[in-house]
Amino acid sequence: MSVARALDIAYVRLAAPDLAVQARFLKDFGLVDLGLHGDVQLFASANQAPYCYIVELGEPRFIGFGLWVESTEVLETLAAREGGGVEPLGLPGGGSYVRMVDPDGFEIDAVAGQSFKVAAGPENAIGWNENGSHKRVDVFRRTAKGPSHVLRLGHLGLAVTDFKRSERWYKERFGFLTSEEFEAEPGTPLGAFMRADRGGTPTDHHTIVLVASPTAPRLRHVAFEVAGFDDLMAGREHLSQSGYKLHWGVGRHIFGSQIFDYWLDPYGREHEHWTDGDQLTAAVSPRLVSIDAVMGVQWGVERPNRN
Ligand SMILES: [Fe+2]
């Protein structure tokens, strides 16, 4: 049994040397700028989270991320075990957190007690004419130009120095389930896609991806769910016209099955738009899969590098 159960990823924290430059990218990426709160700048998506992206002033670096857990009581248990304290977040939405440091030095916050905002309603839910079924009749599809509509922060990928050590650390505290594990060669674990244990409630195929890498420790990418395929493509055009650098896309992943598009922020950090990912309950057993399939695509552009 784990100490707590992560429900989902709450926020990501990064540092940027120019907050205005990072803010311009994030708005073109599709997040809402909530402005400065103390010494951090907050950004929100369309879902209920008060914010999902925290930028601090400083040399470009990935600081860490927050995970929602079930209750503030669970925070007390975590704090007692980790030797820390339960602190107020002190940001819009309130709530509390316990900050821990993972084996690679990333700051991981367990978060509970936030009050959620009203989520934006779904847009453009007019259906697709496909598979011989014409759901859209007497309605014209017109995709608006402009940034993607980011629904939520969905997952992130970490390059870690010791995969099994990090896997144990996250599973012991947050109860993550392995969706797919992959090996460098038979018998040598390299990494895994891990999801939240939500019992019978469907959840994303992965909330964190851990991969042992010679470039560790670092953030490999942070990923956001957008409204749909047209929305992803509109956002791609907007980012391209705004002068940002495409990293990888468009394609459909094999594990998680998302249609994806990766863009680099002004400091070279991978930000993924995705849509139509797999949803799994806790009943699905872990699978061992090939590393080639992990980096491969069902269709679309091949990954530009493999570290
Ligand atoms: Fe991803």
Side-chain angles (χ1 to χ4, degrees):
M1 278 293 287
S2 58
V3 183
R5 268 194 327 162
L7 303 177
D8 207 344
I9 182 166
Y11 53 76
V12 61
R13 298 168 60 216
L14 290 98
D18 188 328
L19 295 181
V21 166
Q22 188 71 10
R24 196 177 315 126
F25 168 77
L26 292 174
K27 286 187 278 186
D28 283 326
F29 187 77
L31 294 178
V32 177
D33 184 0
L34 302 180
L36 276 173
H37 292 263
D39 53 4
V40 299
Q41 191 153 349
L42 301 179
F43 298 85
S45 64
N47 77 351
Q48 296 174 310
Y51 48 86
C52 66
Y53 199 114
I54 303 174
V55 187
E56 300 182 9
L57 189 63
E59 286 307 303
R61 74 183 180 102
F62 168 65
I63 302 166
F65 59 100
L67 292 163
W68 284 305
V69 297
E70 294 153 292
S71 67
T72 47
E73 290 73 36
V74 172
L75 292 184
E76 299 288 351
T77 308
L78 270 169
R81 183 191 144 122
E82 298 291 317
V86 179
E87 305 288 342
L89 279 158
L91 294 169
S96 308
Y97 71 104
V98 173
R99 180 155 294 163
M100 293 160 271
V101 179
D102 90 348
D104 280 304
F106 300 132
E107 294 180 6
I108 310 304
D109 301 344
V111 178
Q114 286 181 308
S115 37
F116 291 125
K117 60 186 173 65
V118 177
E123 294 193 19
N124 199 25
I126 58 174
W128 287 73
N129 290 337
E130 60 182 354
N131 293 322
S133 166
H134 298 152
K135 293 181 183 145
R136 194 178 76 254
V137 176
D138 294 341
V139 174
F140 303 104
R141 182 181 291 283
R142 297 291 182 268
T143 302
K145 293 191 181 301
S148 293
H149 295 80
V150 173
L151 303 181
R152 53 186 281 268
L153 169 63
H155 65 264
L156 51 73
L158 301 176
V160 298
T161 50
D162 181 332
F163 161 60
K164 293 308 281 186
R165 181 181 64 167
S166 292
E167 179 195 37
R168 192 163 53 247
W169 193 91
Y170 283 96
K171 284 190 169 180
E172 281 176 0
R173 284 157 187 78
F174 294 107
F176 282 109
L177 303 174
T178 296
S179 296
E180 325 268 356
E181 181 169 315
F182 41 96
E183 299 177 322
E185 54 193 64
T188 308
L190 184 65
F193 296 90
M194 302 198 298
R195 69 184 184 281
D197 180 358
R198 304 290 300 265
T201 302
T203 191
D204 292 342
H205 171 274
H206 50 276
T207 298
I208 58 172
V209 191
L210 304 178
V211 187
S213 167
T215 66
R218 70 179 179 92
L219 174 71
R220 287 173 60 90
H221 75 290
V222 58
F224 299 83
E225 184 175 9
V226 299
F229 183 55
D230 281 298
D231 194 61
L232 180 140
M233 295 304 288
R236 174 184 171 89
E237 196 172 300
H238 178 79
L239 286 162
S240 176
Q241 288 173 353
S242 302
Y244 294 106
K245 191 161 183 278
L246 177 69
H247 178 65
W248 179 25
V250 175
R252 191 182 276 278
H253 285 307
I254 296 175
F255 300 117
S257 304
Q258 305 97 331
I259 296 174
F260 64 84
D261 202 35
Y262 288 61
W263 288 81
L264 299 181
D265 80 357
Y267 306 103
R269 299 174 289 204
E270 296 173 30
H271 286 60
E272 176 187 3
H273 279 154
W274 59 267
T275 186
D276 194 32
D278 294 333
Q279 292 279 303
L280 304 182
T281 66
V284 176
S285 300
R287 297 192 309 167
L288 190 61
V289 298
S290 94
I291 182 64
D292 287 335
V294 170
M295 299 300 184
V297 293
Q298 297 189 42
W299 53 258
V301 179
E302 295 288 336
R303 187 174 176 82
N305 63 59
R306 295 190 165 211
N307 67 357

